[in-house]
Amino acid sequence: MLNELNIKSKEVFTKNFFKMLLFSALTILFSLISFQIPGLVETGKSNLVEIPLLISVFHIKNPLFLLGTVLLGSIRPIESDLFLLIFLVHAISILVTWVIYYKWIINISNQFIKGFLWFVYIIGYYYLLLLPITFFLSQLLNYTTSGTFIEFVINIGIQTRFELIATALTTTLYTILLGMFKELKTHKQDLELLVDKRTKELVTTNKKLEETIVTKDKFFKIIGHDLRGPMAQIIQLIELIETKLETFSQQRLLDLLKTLKENSMRGFDLLENLMHWARSQTQSIKFDPQEIQLDTLIDENIHLLSKHAQSKKISINNNVQSGTIIYGDKDMLNTIFRNLLSNAIKFTMNGGTIEITAKTSANEITISVKDSGVGMTNEIQESLFHIDKGPSMIGTDNEKGTGIGLLLCKEFVERHNGKIIVESVINLGTTFHITIPKSESTIAPKLIE
């Protein structure tokens, strides 16, 4: 941070320094180029030395560098004896101009009004600043002046008045053009920012559109294959029972009914996940957080899946401390735990174990679902929460899946301002960690309308 400030300070110093050198050089140059209107008989000649000094006010915002410009610009090889007078006159006049310009004139948005006021100011600059200061400092520093101040002003002659008008017109035109250039530059920057913003929005929209197309294709695949499969098997089983009921033994009939139930449950679970996922994508799920007893909630989901676990002789241990309170949407949390437990059962070998634990901190709670299953490669872990990242794995008992369940888990965990992390080692098992805020004060409840 300090390095950045130092770099910026150096850049500002360098820019101001070069501006000071430029305008002081122009001032010296203009002082050497004198002119006289043909036909006028006057003592001395005029120059337009005020033009670069006044224009320097527009570009040098630091008054110290402005004084440096005046100091260097006051060096006159021909008028070296007048150095102090020239410096003091212009230093006072330019500093007053700097204050007036940055205090009032610069804030005027209409460039032509700004130009008109600047023109009027330059007239006053000569008669109310430059000439009075020159007269009184000349007397103070014992330079030769003749007559009173009024006589001094009258005697400046047509030549000097031409210098005044030329300076006023030139600097006024410069002020208007500079203001218009800055406006064009600002409009250009605004336009570039707008184009950049619209481009980013277009890229984001395009990305969302691609994701929507992928999601649509995945849905059609699930409906056309994964959901159709269980439904077709149910129909076949019903037809088989209907046509050959009398030839089946009681045991055979029970086996068929068991298969029928399993297919029905698989189809129902898939349909329910699809429904939840579709609702989450179309933003029609109400987020209704409340205080919930976590251990009881997990027990209820273990009970729902107990038949499946028992068929594989898998033991599920709920090690969450009794009375642990979590703040969240009950329906979403049920969907999360049901899918994580179902996944754990699916990929755990017969006779394996599943452990559910919870750790609390000041503002959040982390629930872990750990299984002793087959584990996952890094590639599979990276693809878990992406609908377009390939097919779902087959369970240890040839259970099929779609990957929608884990997508729902991620979606619903993030609705709680939480996060989901997976850790897995091949042949050693997998652990899903869910971290969500534990109280109302650390969750930002929203309604998805």
Side-chain angles (χ1 to χ4, degrees), residues 86-97:
I86 293 171
F87 169 70
L88 290 175
V89 168
H90 286 110
I92 296 170
S93 302
I94 292 298
L95 282 178
V96 171
T97 302

Side-chain angles (χ1 to χ4, degrees), residues 64-130:
L64 294 178
F65 284 97
L66 200 60
L67 279 176
T69 303
V70 175
L71 179 65
L72 294 175
S74 299
I75 299 172
R76 309 286 168 80
I78 300 174
E79 303 170 312
S80 57
D81 56 324
L82 299 176
F83 173 79
L84 182 60
L85 176 64
I86 293 171
F87 169 70
L88 290 175
V89 168
H90 286 110
I92 296 170
S93 302
I94 292 298
L95 282 178
V96 171
T97 302
W98 180 85
V99 172
I100 291 173
Y101 180 76
Y102 286 103
K103 186 73 174 176
W104 292 288
I105 297 178
I106 197 173
N107 296 320
I108 299 170
S109 58
N110 188 297
Q111 300 306 322
F112 294 100
I113 295 176
K114 182 189 291 186
F116 173 75
L117 291 177
W118 177 260
F119 183 86
V120 172
Y121 170 74
I122 294 303
I123 304 298
Y125 170 83
Y126 267 84
Y127 284 105
L128 301 178
L129 275 177
L130 205 60

Side-chain angles (χ1 to χ4, degrees), residues 37-272:
I37 299 175
L40 288 179
V41 180
E42 290 194 354
T43 304
K45 298 180 180 180
S46 291
N47 56 48
L48 300 176
V49 71
E50 302 301 323
I51 291 177
L53 284 176
L54 288 168
I55 289 177
S56 70
V57 172
F58 306 148
H59 297 280
I60 301 176
K61 296 182 180 181
N62 190 313
L64 294 178
F65 284 97
L66 200 60
L67 279 176
T69 303
V70 175
L71 179 65
L72 294 175
S74 299
I75 299 172
R76 309 286 168 80
I78 300 174
E79 303 170 312
S80 57
D81 56 324
L82 299 176
F83 173 79
L84 182 60
L85 176 64
I86 293 171
F87 169 70
L88 290 175
V89 168
H90 286 110
I92 296 170
S93 302
I94 292 298
L95 282 178
V96 171
T97 302
W98 180 85
V99 172
I100 291 173
Y101 180 76
Y102 286 103
K103 186 73 174 176
W104 292 288
I105 297 178
I106 197 173
N107 296 320
I108 299 170
S109 58
N110 188 297
Q111 300 306 322
F112 294 100
I113 295 176
K114 182 189 291 186
F116 173 75
L117 291 177
W118 177 260
F119 183 86
V120 172
Y121 170 74
I122 294 303
I123 304 298
Y125 170 83
Y126 267 84
Y127 284 105
L128 301 178
L129 275 177
L130 205 60
L131 295 178
I133 293 171
T134 302
F135 178 79
F136 290 113
L137 282 179
S138 295
Q139 289 189 334
L140 185 65
L141 298 174
N142 296 320
Y143 288 103
T144 303
T145 55
S146 58
T148 63
F149 171 67
I150 301 299
E151 293 171 337
F152 175 77
V153 171
I154 293 172
N155 290 334
I156 63 172
I158 297 174
Q159 186 86 25
T160 309
R161 286 197 288 275
F162 174 79
E163 175 187 333
L164 183 157
I165 297 300
T167 301
L169 288 174
T170 304
T171 55
T172 297
L173 180 61
Y174 188 90
T175 304
I176 294 172
L177 292 176
L178 180 65
M180 293 174 69
F181 173 77
K182 287 182 178 180
E183 283 184 351
L184 287 173
K185 187 177 179 181
T186 302
H187 289 324
K188 181 185 175 184
Q189 290 173 344
D190 291 341
L191 186 60
E192 287 174 350
L193 288 173
L194 183 62
V195 170
D196 186 55
K197 181 183 177 183
R198 291 290 183 263
T199 303
K200 288 179 180 178
E201 288 176 354
L202 188 60
V203 170
T204 302
T205 302
N206 188 53
K207 186 178 179 181
K208 287 181 179 179
L209 182 60
E210 289 176 356
E211 290 174 352
T212 301
I213 292 171
V214 171
T215 303
K216 181 204 71 174
D217 293 341
K218 180 73 172 179
F219 263 72
F220 281 139
K221 177 183 175 294
I222 292 169
I223 294 170
H225 181 269
D226 298 294
L227 187 59
R228 185 179 177 184
M231 295 299 105
Q233 290 177 13
I234 291 170
I235 293 170
Q236 289 173 2
L237 285 170
I238 292 173
E239 288 177 347
L240 182 63
I241 294 171
E242 185 180 24
T243 56
K244 296 186 178 182
L245 178 61
E246 295 178 357
T247 63
F248 289 150
S249 64
Q250 186 175 4
Q251 185 59 46
R252 174 64 172 151
L253 185 59
L254 287 173
D255 289 341
L256 288 172
L257 289 173
K258 180 181 177 183
T259 304
L260 182 61
K261 181 181 178 182
E262 288 174 353
N263 278 283
S264 300
M265 289 300 296
R266 187 154 66 92
F268 178 79
D269 288 342
L270 177 56
L271 192 59
E272 191 173 49

Side-chain angles (χ1 to χ4, degrees), residues 351-409:
T353 57
I354 298 171
E355 304 280 340
I356 301 113
T357 57
K359 293 182 179 179
T360 60
S361 63
N363 296 321
E364 60 188 21
I365 182 167
T366 300
I367 304 105
S368 302
V369 179
K370 180 180 180 182
D371 65 57
S372 60
V374 295
M376 292 179 282
T377 62
N378 290 333
E379 290 77 15
I380 293 175
Q381 291 179 52
E382 290 173 1
S383 69
L384 283 180
F385 303 110
H386 301 276
I387 196 168
D388 58 334
K389 297 293 184 180
S392 176
M393 292 173 61
I394 301 298
T396 57
D397 204 18
N398 293 320
E399 301 101 323
K400 295 180 180 179
T402 62
I404 291 291
L406 286 177
L407 288 173
L408 269 178
C409 290

